[in-house]
Amino acid sequence: MMQPERKRHGLVTRIWHWLNVVCVIVLFMSGLNISNAHRYLYWGNYGFEPADAWASVIRFPGWATIPGYYDLAAARDWHILMAWPFAFGLLVMWAAMLVSGHFWRDIRTTRREWKPAAIRRDIVQHLKLNFDHSSGQYNFLQKLAYGLVLGVFLPGMILTGLAISPGFEPSAPWLVDAFGGRQSARSIHFIFSWAIFAFFLVHVLLVILSGPIGQLRGMITGGTAGPEETP
Amino acid sequence: MNGSIGRRGVLSGMGLLFLGACSKVADTKIGGSMLDSAEKWHRKIHRSLSDRMALAREYTKADISPNFRGNGSRTVDTPEYAAAIETGFADWRLEVRGLVDHPMSLSLDNIRRLPQRTQITRHDCVEGWSAIGEWTGPQLSTILEAAGVQDSAKFVVFRCADTLAGSRYYESVDMVDAYHPQTIVAHALNGEPLPVKNGAPLRMRIERQLGYKHAKYLTAIELVDSLEDIGDGEGGYWEDRSGYQWYAGI
Ligand code: HEM
């Protein structure tokens, strides 16, 4: 009998990956439109005066926002719609990662990898643009980046998004407290959205540097796990 | 590299198409109803996660913000309102009408004599900012019980004295929010009669929703079975004018 060939990316991973790309782009760009409505961020529970703000944000230009002109109502419509597939997609992805072992096998870091010398070696390899690590496995920095994005920043967007919503607060007031108040939750929502954007830039850059055609094909067809396919 | 630049060109072209598509989708019937049902699902999940009467957080006096921002209409631009300020709103009336057994016309004195609720709550504007203040007034449920709401009533419409860009302000809520214990007709902010910028002499407090639901300069409470014939039929001034969400708990 033929061994079923092990794919580099599982089906759930691939579907989730592209669904998530669409969700995050729409959420980010509609979020920037929402940000234009009140361009000040505060800590604590209240805040409305620029003098109390810890940050005054730029006005985002139309090409960076959804819709492409200032429209708070439409931007909120898009945000509220895409929050659903984004949140459920992440939930399914996490369940699949835990059940299939993808998380334990590929993303969880080991204590050995946290040694400074090992980290230094990994950084040097990245700076040399040497992506030839062993057959389809993630290296430490990749694991750290994917772990942070999957485990902190993406779920953080859902939790802070819920904490900002006044209709949700009565069911979980502790969530708002956990972030230090509604305006703090809003600030964290904003900061995390830029952390995700930063990940996105580095992620796309590394895909381009490490052979975009193979990488894209891998994320669409699944590719095969094996040294010959490592770009 | 050449191939990949071509590919990137295709990808960014697809990106632009996609963004253009967003506005097209929103304009279509299916797109629009998809956006509407997303709003409805948020309302359903908010309400199923907690008791329908679950309270919004109440704060202590120490949490009150030093000032309470006035937004939207900051006054009513009519000679009648200017005159009403002079007399301390002695002749102001709050009508209770529509699908009720006993229509009423209440003075400020009538309203102050009803059992009162005082609550220190956070006000969240759709724009993103928040302020905290102490509000006092009778619960809307007290007034509704006195008026005898008929079974066919499904919504409460709040009529206002102010106009924005030539249209009268109004808002509406369903019966869940109408009978919520923190839904009060406020006549005082931080122990003082309501300032003009915050809606003097009467405004609604709908604590689990965003600021535009909290109708100011309140003149009437109207019970209706449908919102279709009120204004442009979307349930409120901003809902009609700009397409804001009728359920403003998100
Ligand atoms: C990757 C996903 C997401 C990104 C990149 C994102 C981005 C943003 C940004 C940039 C803002 C503007 C913040 C401001 O200045 O006020 C915003 C606002 C908001 N987001 Fe998100 N968001 C995401 C997911 C979510 C989710 C899942 C929810 C709901 C559960 C949510 C709910 C909200 C709400 C309610 C606001 C309005 C906040 C306000 O009134 O200021 N977001 N988002």
Side-chain angles (χ1 to χ4, degrees), chain A residues 47 76-78 167 169 173 183, chain B residues 22 57 122 128 130 245 249-250:
Chain A
R76 283 171 49 82
D77 270 343
W78 280 108
E169 186 176 0
Q183 287 299 323
Chain B
C22 277
R57 179 193 301 265
R122 197 190 61 228
S130 310
Q245 292 76 24
I250 317 152

Side-chain angles (χ1 to χ4, degrees), chain B residues 163-198:
Chain B
T163 48
L164 269 175
S167 298
R168 216 26 109 73
Y169 201 88
Y170 78 99
E171 255 306 335
S172 64
V173 295
D174 64 11
M175 295 320 238
V176 173
D177 277 310
Y179 282 102
H180 186 261
Q182 286 170 321
T183 298
I184 65 174
V185 181
H187 55 75
L189 169 59
N190 298 332
E192 304 285 335
L194 275 190
V196 167
K197 73 177 193 317
N198 302 115

Side-chain angles (χ1 to χ4, degrees), chain B residues 106-124:
Chain B
L106 304 169
S107 69
L108 285 189
D109 249 5
N110 298 149
I111 286 170
R112 288 197 205 97
R113 283 214 196 93
L114 292 169
Q116 304 285 303
R117 189 175 203 284
T118 291
Q119 59 204 30
I120 302 176
T121 51
R122 197 190 61 228
H123 180 93
D124 301 325

Side-chain angles (χ1 to χ4, degrees), chain A residues 24 27-28 31-32 34-35 41 79 83 86 157-158 161-162 164-165 182 186 189-190 193 196, chain B residues 126 128 250:
Chain A
V24 170
L27 284 164
F28 185 60
L32 297 185
I34 298 174
S35 172
L41 296 168
H79 215 75
F86 170 71
M157 292 315 289
I158 301 174
L162 288 171
I164 311 172
S165 302
R182 180 190 191 244
R186 179 170 164 255
H189 196 74
F190 186 86
S193 72
I196 291 169
Chain B
V126 64
I250 317 152

Side-chain angles (χ1 to χ4, degrees), chain B residues 10 31 33 41 59 64 77 105 125 127 135 140 153 172 192 244:
Chain B
V10 171
S33 75
W41 282 102
Y59 295 85
I64 292 176
D77 242 346
S105 171
C125 178
E127 294 167 357
W135 305 95
L140 179 59
S172 64
E192 304 285 335
Y244 278 41

